């Protein structure tokens, strides 16, 4: 991939340090939680969702501040929050600011964050259908099979990757 923009008179390449640092923190949180193997798509979804949260949240996340920011990240990723809307609004604001400043194609952090968001939004993963589970489910299948043939673990649906990654990232912040 050829760079579209260089920085300064020396022509050096821009390095996406803010995004790489957010991704590093997210990866460390998930690895510490040991929730699933790092080679799975679910792990990637969790890492990207948490990295987006870290990258788009206000203020620096360096050094000892990471622990202080954990409560903020926990509240942003909590169930029932409008995380998706929050991410879209933040990305739109950053893209608009980059466009106004004329550096739209020169922000590698924003480029990588946008790519992560597109992957989370466009990729669907097979997950348990939580809406179809519950106490009433046992009444519908008294033989204890859990559902129709092939659904021994319960019914499954295709869901956007961010809907799996977000709770995983949230749990990782609790386990850290």
């Amino acid at each position: 991939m050829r760079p579209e923009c260089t920085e300064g008179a020396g022509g050096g390449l821009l390095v996406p340090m803010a995004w790489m640092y957010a991704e590093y923190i997210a990866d460390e949180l998930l690895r510490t939680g040991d929730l699933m193997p790092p080679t799975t798509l679910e792990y990637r979804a969790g890492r990207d969702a948490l990295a987006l949260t870290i990258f788009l949240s206000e203020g620096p996340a360096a050094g000892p501040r990471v622990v202080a920011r954990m409560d903020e990240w926990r509240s942003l990723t909590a169930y029932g929050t409008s995380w998706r809307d929050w991410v879209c609004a933040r990305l739109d604001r950053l893209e608009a600011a980059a466009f106004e400043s004329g550096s739209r194609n020169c922000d590698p952090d924003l480029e990588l964050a946008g790519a992560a968001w597109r992957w989370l939004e466009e990729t669907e993963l097979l997950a348990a259908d939580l809406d179809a589970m519950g106490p009433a489910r046992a009444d519908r299948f008294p033989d204890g099979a859990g559902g129709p043939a092939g659904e021994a673990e319960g019914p499954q649906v295709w869901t956007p990757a961010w809907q799996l990654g977000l709770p995983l990232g949230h749990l990782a912040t609790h386990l850290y």
Side-chain angles (χ1 to χ4, degrees):
M1 183 163 106
R2 303 185 86 200
E4 296 182 23
C5 184
T6 57
E7 181 182 22
L13 293 176
L14 295 173
V15 179
M17 292 305 293
W19 175 256
M20 290 170 59
Y21 190 68
E23 203 172 42
Y24 168 77
I25 293 171
D27 194 56
E28 284 298 309
L29 290 171
L30 285 167
R31 284 181 190 269
T32 301
D34 197 25
L35 298 169
M36 63 184 35
T39 55
T40 63
L41 289 174
E42 291 83 358
Y43 183 92
R44 178 181 175 187
R47 186 196 62 214
D48 284 0
L50 196 50
L52 271 171
T53 304
I54 293 165
F55 176 74
L56 295 173
S57 60
E58 299 290 334
R65 292 186 191 109
V66 170
V67 175
R69 305 286 309 279
M70 207 69 67
D71 287 336
E72 178 188 358
W73 300 334
R74 239 180 254 126
S75 68
L76 287 168
T77 59
Y79 180 78
T81 61
S82 55
W83 182 83
R84 183 188 179 283
D85 295 336
W86 177 80
V87 167
C88 289
R90 293 284 179 137
L91 284 174
D92 287 347
R93 190 174 356 150
L94 288 174
E95 288 171 356
F99 183 77
E100 287 175 15
S101 71
S103 63
R104 183 173 176 210
N105 295 326
C106 295
D107 188 348
D109 290 309
L110 185 56
E111 231 177 277
L112 289 174
W117 176 242
R118 282 188 301 280
W119 185 85
L120 286 167
E121 189 76 335
E122 296 169 2
T123 303
E124 291 189 340
L125 302 175
L126 194 57
D129 185 2
L130 299 178
D131 292 331
M133 295 182 178
R137 182 159 177 74
D139 297 338
R140 293 189 320 218
F141 303 103
D143 63 348
E151 292 189 3
E153 296 177 10
Q156 295 183 324
V157 295
W158 290 98
T159 186
W162 71 266
Q163 288 183 344
L164 287 176
L166 189 62
L168 183 61
H170 180 75
L171 183 56
T173 62
H174 277 285
L175 294 174
Y176 183 73

